[in-house]
Amino acid sequence: GAGVSQTPSNKVTEKGKYVELRCDPISGHTALYWYRQSLGQGPEFLIYFQGTGAADDSGLPNDRFFAVRPEGSVSTLKIQRTERGDSAVYLCASSWDVPPPGELFFGEGSRLTVL
Amino acid sequence: QKEVEQDPGPLSVPEGAIVSLNCTYSNSAFQYFMWYRQYSRKGPELLMYTYSSGNKEDGRFTAQVDKSSKYISLFIRDSQPSDSATYLCAMSARNRDDKIIFGKGTRLHILP
């Protein structure tokens, strides 16, 4: 399909484990965002890439969270030593890298449950 | 104070009613204002996009921005049961590297 693809759609893990969440943006979109959405809350900004570089990573909650986008396309969000409070839906979105801020196209999210 | 405030609801209205959804914000640098709609277990989808102050209409939807009051609104006319969803306001400043910040979202139920 032509939309943003996120895998896995669901991930259950145990406290302390390492997790990777993958995002495949729409072809040609150079801007990529990661958000975290807890139940009953709006998307909380984590990190924003322009191409391969992180333009703003101020939303990453602590050094257990890290994201990469080595070739300017697919991105991976990495969470080390997971905690129960990390349980949430992790949303990825992409857009054209043309100012002003463009429409964000979201994937359906990766639902992370930390037991 | 959070940068973007939005009443989470839920808001229940009868079919055919006019719905008013609102957000306030604190950052005067915000220039771009968006409304996204999110159905259960889906990603948000863009509904309306406005720049600076003023009104924008698209079918049954009207977005209003009052920068002097730091207040934005979304009106839905002739509401339908299919409009039942969570509505998220979002906003961003002008610079190329500025992130897009979302409100908490308002859950809307249109009663048939």
Side-chain angles (χ1 to χ4, degrees), chain A residues 35 37 42 97 100-101 104, chain B residues 32 36 38 42 49 96 100 104:
Chain A
Y35 289 87
Q37 188 172 30
D97 181 24
L104 293 182
Chain B
Y32 301 95
Y36 281 78
Q38 186 175 26
K42 297 289 187 182
Y49 186 114
R96 183 173 185 263
I100 296 174
K104 187 177 289 193

Side-chain angles (χ1 to χ4, degrees), chain A residues 33 35 37 40-43 45 48 50 55-56 58 91 97 99-104 106-108 111, chain B residues 8 32 34 36 38 41-44 46 49 88 92-94 96-105:
Chain A
Y33 290 77
Y35 289 87
Q37 188 172 30
Q41 303 294 314
F45 171 79
Y48 161 41
Q50 292 261 19
D56 187 334
S58 62
L91 293 167
D97 181 24
E103 175 180 359
L104 293 182
F106 281 87
E108 296 205 340
R111 184 174 299 271
Chain B
Y32 301 95
M34 294 146 272
Y36 281 78
Q38 186 175 26
R41 294 186 171 264
K42 297 289 187 182
L46 183 67
Y49 186 114
L88 300 154
S92 180
R94 183 175 181 82
R96 183 173 185 263
D97 291 338
D98 280 326
K99 54 188 178 280
I100 296 174
I101 301 295
F102 283 81
K104 187 177 289 193

Side-chain angles (χ1 to χ4, degrees), chain B residues 62-77:
Chain B
T62 299
Q64 285 187 352
V65 175
D66 182 349
K67 290 189 68 184
S68 63
S69 302
K70 297 190 179 70
Y71 187 87
I72 70 170
S73 301
L74 178 71
F75 297 96
I76 307 174
R77 291 184 300 281

Side-chain angles (χ1 to χ4, degrees), chain B residues 9-56:
Chain B
L11 179 63
S12 297
V13 300
E15 183 176 356
I18 295 175
V19 175
S20 172
L21 303 167
N22 312 292
C23 287
T24 59
Y25 63 95
S26 58
N27 188 346
S28 58
F30 287 148
Q31 298 271 0
Y32 301 95
F33 304 93
M34 294 146 272
W35 286 94
Y36 281 78
R37 180 173 61 194
Q38 186 175 26
Y39 291 111
S40 181
R41 294 186 171 264
K42 297 289 187 182
E45 295 177 305
L46 183 67
L47 205 54
M48 299 285 282
Y49 186 114
T50 53
Y51 169 66
S52 195
S53 284
N55 292 2
K56 184 174 182 179

Side-chain angles (χ1 to χ4, degrees), chain A residues 48-76:
Chain A
Y48 161 41
F49 287 90
Q50 292 261 19
T52 59
D56 187 334
D57 64 358
S58 62
L60 295 176
N62 51 58
D63 61 6
R64 295 187 298 105
F65 288 75
F66 190 71
V68 296
R69 196 185 183 199
E71 296 177 358
S73 179
V74 171
S75 177
T76 304

Side-chain angles (χ1 to χ4, degrees), chain B residues 7-21 79-80 83-85 106-112:
Chain B
D7 186 335
L11 179 63
S12 297
V13 300
E15 183 176 356
I18 295 175
V19 175
S20 172
L21 303 167
S79 55
Q80 305 293 312
D83 295 329
S84 297
T106 299
R107 285 179 293 144
L108 175 65
H109 299 288
I110 307 298
L111 307 171

